[in-house]
Each structure stands twice: as structure tokens, then as C-alpha cells.
Amino acid sequence: MFFLGEYDEDEAANIRSFLSDAGIRVELKPYLVMDSDEQFCLRGRYSRLKEMAEDICDYEHDLSLIKSALSQSSTPEEFDELFLKELDPTMMKIRDEILAHCESDEIESPEELSEESPEENSEDTSEESEPLDFNVDAWLNYLLRSGKAQSFAHSVLSLNGIIVGEPIGDKLDDPLLEIPADPGDFDTEPDELVLNADYYLSRSIGLYVDEFTAPLVSDMDEEFIDMYPDEYQQISALGLLIEKLATPPSDMKMSLDEFIESCMLRKDEHDVRLMVDGRDVFMELIRILERGDVLKSKGDKIKWKK
């Protein structure tokens, strides 16, 4: 079977439906996959990390924002909102404008549009809100900075047992912190250096295509070609090679060496040059064609069936 790719369950089922409709045999194999997130950090009291880390200015600034946001918050949601606003008021104002802009541009239902005259529809279009004026690079930089800052803030709350809305006492006078670090920066690894290793298991679906039925991709629904162009091209290339190998030579036989060379397909059409090289898997290709009752191999001879 030809491995087409790894998908979630819904997408695998959708692809299988398209391929099955075209007559291509498909097999789905569920399996578990694991994603990992590993990061070295310095974990210790602020007073200690300040002596060890080369640049802790950003974290010092974020700590002051955490204290300020906590003093005004009664819920985690309020804390997040206040923390981000104090991190960069200008960018948060832009965020609010973006949200308001999206809400004002919501498309009306066909029923609502049909109740209005063409003149009314034209007038609505002319009164659309002005495009937002902001620097995309600055916005992307803010998203990266705010994401790191918010992650640090949540880490501080967790490490120091702080619950938003409850008194924090002296927990932030010399808080326990965790900041990213490079082990290569230290001649001798300090006790504060720790490795955070997080692993996440998830279920995935491997989708396999029967090689012998791959040529039927020529009957594929146009919607599949539009939705999955890479998958379509892979199956098409495989199908062309299988179709070539299944076509017998004039004398219905050839040597193994000749067959191996025939496992290379070249095709030029208009502005597309196609090459499919299956020589490294010639034995698998022979077995595929034997299962399809197309040919038979014996020793170094290949014979096609009538």
C-alpha cells in the first residue's frame, strides 16, 4: 500500500470518500503520535536569577505589570486583559479596533439583503468603515512579545501559588521564577538549570492507497483536486507509473534488468515535465502487478499475462 499521508479522523474520512467514489481502494490505520516541547530554564528566586541571567530587564518589567494587574483583578480573565493593556496600551487599542472592524463588516443574511433595494445596498457599501491603519510588522512583533509575556505571567502565578482575586501577601517580594536559558552559556551547569519536557499524545490516521487502483485517479472529482492538490498529484504520478508497467511489451516479456529500467517514467506535456522513479522499489512494483494478475516473475524473467 502507498502511504499518502497523516490526517485527523474527519479529514481522513473525507479523503477516503473521494477516493472510494473514484474506485481507488483505501485503507485507514489509526495510530498514536507524540509531540514534544523541551526547554531548558533557570528556576529560582528572583534575587538569585538576577545575579545569573545576562538580561533580565524584560522579566523585571513584566513582574511590575503582574503586580499592578493583580491589584486590580478579581478573575483570571480580568487579570489577562489588564496585563496585556499595561504591556502595550497602543497595541491593545489596535486589537479592539480590529475586533470592532470585524463585527461591523459581518455579512448580512441573504434574507436581509433581499429586503433592501439595490440603492440601499449600494449606500451600505459606500458607508463601510475606513481601513485600519497599523504596521503589520509591529503587530506581529507585539503578538510574539505578548505571547511570551503572558506565558511568563501565568508561570509566575503557578510557581508562587497565586490565585487571582485572593490576597498575595509577600509572594511577589522575591518570587520564584522560571526563565529560558541556554546550557552552553555556563561553564558549569548551575543547580537552578532545569529541563522542562512536555509530551502530548494524540491520535492520528495514516491513509494508504492501493497502488494497483491508483490509475483510476483520472476519474477523480474536481472538488478533490481543488481541496487536495498535493495528494492528487502524488496519486496521479503513481497511477501513471503503474499504468505504464501494466502495459505489456510487444513480445509480452522482458528481462529483470529491462523491467528495472522501465520503472522510470518521464513525461513532457506543455509546461509540465514529470519524472517518476520507482527503480529502487522494483521488487515491490513486481509484487503489486503480480497481485493484480498482470504479470509473473521467475528468476530474471518477467512475463505479462494475456
Side-chain angles (χ1 to χ4, degrees), residues 87-101:
L87 183 69
D88 194 324
T90 301
M91 285 300 180
M92 284 298 285
K93 181 180 179 182
I94 290 175
R95 184 207 66 170
D96 293 340
E97 290 176 354
I98 291 174
L99 293 175
H101 191 77

Side-chain angles (χ1 to χ4, degrees), residues 69-85:
L70 280 172
S71 67
Q72 306 172 64
S73 306
S74 57
T75 67
E77 292 76 19
E78 285 183 352
F79 170 80
D80 286 340
E81 187 74 8
L82 286 169
F83 177 76
L84 290 176
K85 281 185 177 178

Side-chain angles (χ1 to χ4, degrees), residues 224-283:
F224 176 82
I225 299 173
D226 293 338
M227 292 177 64
Y228 304 102
D230 292 341
E231 285 82 355
Y232 172 73
Q233 290 168 8
Q234 289 184 51
I235 300 173
S236 294
L238 175 62
L240 287 171
L241 180 60
I242 294 296
E243 198 168 31
K244 175 192 176 186
L245 296 176
T247 303
S250 57
D251 58 357
M252 303 294 289
K253 61 183 179 181
M254 65 173 58
S255 69
L256 180 60
D257 288 341
E258 290 173 326
F259 180 84
I260 292 173
E261 288 307 309
S262 72
C263 291
M264 163 75 81
L265 168 69
R266 295 185 185 278
K267 193 171 184 178
D268 291 309
E269 283 189 0
H270 307 298
D271 58 345
V272 177
R273 185 188 67 81
L274 173 69
M275 187 277 289
V276 186
D277 189 350
R279 290 175 295 181
D280 287 347
V281 293
F282 70 90
M283 284 305 303

Side-chain angles (χ1 to χ4, degrees), residues 6 49 64 69 123 133 144 152 209 222 235 244 268 271:
E6 175 186 307
L49 297 191
S64 66
E123 182 179 348
D133 181 20
L144 292 173
F152 173 71
V209 170
E222 288 289 336
I235 300 173
K244 175 192 176 186
D268 291 309
D271 58 345

Side-chain angles (χ1 to χ4, degrees), residues 151-169:
S151 178
F152 173 71
H154 291 166
S155 171
V156 170
L157 300 185
S158 176
L159 288 171
N160 294 278
I162 296 173
I163 299 176
V164 179
E166 295 185 0
I168 63 173

Side-chain angles (χ1 to χ4, degrees), residues 34-66:
M34 183 176 287
D35 294 322
S36 63
D37 181 14
E38 299 182 354
Q39 184 181 49
F40 279 96
C41 296
L42 288 174
R43 181 189 296 162
R45 293 293 171 184
Y46 164 69
S47 56
R48 170 60 176 152
L49 297 191
K50 189 174 181 180
E51 299 173 358
M52 302 174 61
E54 292 184 359
D55 187 2
I56 201 172
C57 293
D58 282 345
Y59 299 107
E60 289 177 323
H61 176 253
D62 292 348
L63 271 176
S64 66
L65 299 186
I66 292 171

